């Protein structure tokens, strides 16, 4: 099936109901997307969704945040939350759609999660299960095990919050377009005509992090996108304003627990 680029729509986007009734607590869809595909802003009013990147990298805008979802990771999207998906390179997307009442303690907000080898194997098997299925069948037991595993997924620090305050949005746009911008908090206070403490308070209130942490997170998530494109570590480090590849590598490992060369393996 061919896919075309689509523009983002306002609000939460089109509501897409899914072809499965309440007798089907969870089901899986598999899609292959070519590089550059953009899935327009939409939401599923009646189902939670786990979007798993079996291969490739996704950039997801959901709610008030932006997530990078590398291969072998996934993003949890609560029912009703608008989301737009961009494919960095060719992507093998596997989506689980879950009835809200089928899972006891789902994440309350969107979050990037690690996918265990067991869950990856279960998702792969679920691709061949067509709804509806009987709860006491082999397919039903497979899907119940998926629901059990979904309760244990560790959250990963792959989220960049998006501010609503126009002053922070100006900073965020600069971080997005010029991630190596060395401007300090004092520089931004002068440009915006506000006190440094005003920006600090806004960052704490809207982002839950300091200005320095916000800038670092923006750079590291951009790094993931560049590394997914196959760019060399030295080129990524310099493009993001790091003094050396070793400084970038140390920061990357501190944040993600892995070296850049290990992250996509």
């Amino acid at each position: 099936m061919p896919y075309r680029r689509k523009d983002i729509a306002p609000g939460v986007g089109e509501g897409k109901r899914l072809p499965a009734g309440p007798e089907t607590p969870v089901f899986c869809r598999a899609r292959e997307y070519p590089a550059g595909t953009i899935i327009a802003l939409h939401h599923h009013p009646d189902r939670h969704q786990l979007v798993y990147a079996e291969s490739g990298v996704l950039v997801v805008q959901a709610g008030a945040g932006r997530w990078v979802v590398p291969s072998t990771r996934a993003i949890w999207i609560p029912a009703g939350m608008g989301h737009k998906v961009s494919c960095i390179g060719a992507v093998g997307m596997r989506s689980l759609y879950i009835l809200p009442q089928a899972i006891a303690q789902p994440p309350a907000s969107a979050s990037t999660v690690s996918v265990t080898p067991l869950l990856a194997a279960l998702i792969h098997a679920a691709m061949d299960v067509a709804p509806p299925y009987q709860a006491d069948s082999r397919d039903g037991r497979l899907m119940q095990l998926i629901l059990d595993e979904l309760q244990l997924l560790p959250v990963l620090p792959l989220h960049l919050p998006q501010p609503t305050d126009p002053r922070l949005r100006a900073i965020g746009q600069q971080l997005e377009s010029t991630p190596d911008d060395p401007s300090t908090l004092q520089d931004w206070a002068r440009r915006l005509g506000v006190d440094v403490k005003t920006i600090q308070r806004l960052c704490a209130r809207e982002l839950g992090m300091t200005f320095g942490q916000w800038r670092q997170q923006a750079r590291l998530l951009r790094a993931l996108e560049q590394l997914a494109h196959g760019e060399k570590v030295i080129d990524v480090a310099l493009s993001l304003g790091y003094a050396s590849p070793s400084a970038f590598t140390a920061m990357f490992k501190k944040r993600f627990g892995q070296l850049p060369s290990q992250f996509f393996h």
Side-chain angles (χ1 to χ4, degrees):
M1 175 183 291
Y3 295 89
R4 62 183 180 85
R5 296 177 67 90
K6 303 176 184 178
D7 295 326
I8 189 166
V12 295
E14 178 186 357
K16 295 185 178 180
R17 293 192 175 273
L18 297 159
E23 73 282 358
T24 304
V26 58
F27 69 97
C28 180
R29 275 183 172 176
R31 294 287 188 271
E32 304 297 325
Y33 292 102
T37 299
I38 297 175
I39 303 171
L41 185 67
H42 67 284
H43 70 282
H44 303 290
D46 53 345
R47 296 257 174 176
H48 301 312
Q49 183 179 7
L50 185 82
V51 182
Y52 170 51
E54 189 171 64
S55 60
V57 176
L58 303 171
V59 176
V60 180
Q61 291 174 283
R66 178 172 170 269
W67 284 259
V68 174
V69 187
S71 58
T72 72
R73 279 77 167 183
I75 181 171
W76 174 268
I77 302 173
M81 176 174 283
H83 53 283
K84 171 189 173 184
V85 182
S86 302
C87 299
I88 307 298
V91 169
M93 183 190 295
R94 314 293 179 242
S95 292
L96 295 175
Y97 298 96
I98 305 106
L99 276 179
Q101 59 267 36
I103 185 166
Q105 294 181 316
S109 60
S111 53
T112 308
V113 296
S114 181
V115 175
T116 64
L118 173 57
L119 181 57
L122 291 170
I123 292 173
H124 189 77
M127 290 163 51
D128 295 326
V129 176
Y133 47 81
Q134 297 299 314
D136 61 352
S137 66
R138 180 263 183 190
D139 289 345
R141 290 188 289 273
L142 169 68
M143 293 306 196
Q144 182 56 54
L145 186 52
I146 286 176
L147 290 173
D148 292 340
E149 284 298 298
L150 289 177
Q151 309 249 22
L152 304 174
L153 298 180
V155 175
L156 300 172
L158 301 177
H159 169 227
L160 187 68
Q162 302 294 305
T164 58
D165 185 274
R167 292 161 293 188
L168 288 191
R169 289 181 70 88
I171 298 175
Q173 289 167 1
Q174 182 70 6
L175 293 177
E176 175 71 19
S177 63
T178 314
D180 60 341
D181 186 339
S183 299
T184 65
L185 192 55
Q186 290 74 19
D187 294 332
W188 277 110
R190 284 194 297 271
R191 289 178 201 168
L192 297 172
V194 298
D195 187 87
V196 166
K197 291 184 178 180
T198 298
I199 300 179
Q200 291 173 328
R201 284 194 296 269
L202 287 171
C203 286
R205 186 182 72 201
E206 293 212 6
L207 307 174
M209 59 180 65
T210 67
F211 168 77
Q213 291 168 336
W214 184 30
R215 180 171 63 184
Q216 179 189 99
Q217 186 74 348
R219 288 176 173 177
L220 288 175
L221 294 190
R222 174 63 66 84
L224 289 179
E225 295 180 37
Q226 292 175 298
L227 292 168
H229 273 297
E231 296 185 31
K232 296 180 180 178
V233 171
I234 185 172
D235 295 330
V236 173
L238 297 179
S239 72
L240 297 178
Y242 287 89
S244 66
S246 59
F248 164 70
T249 297
M251 185 58 65
F252 191 100
K253 186 175 182 181
K254 180 180 179 181
R255 186 61 172 153
F256 298 133
Q258 293 177 294
L259 297 173
S261 58
Q262 299 171 327
F263 195 84
F264 292 100
H265 298 287

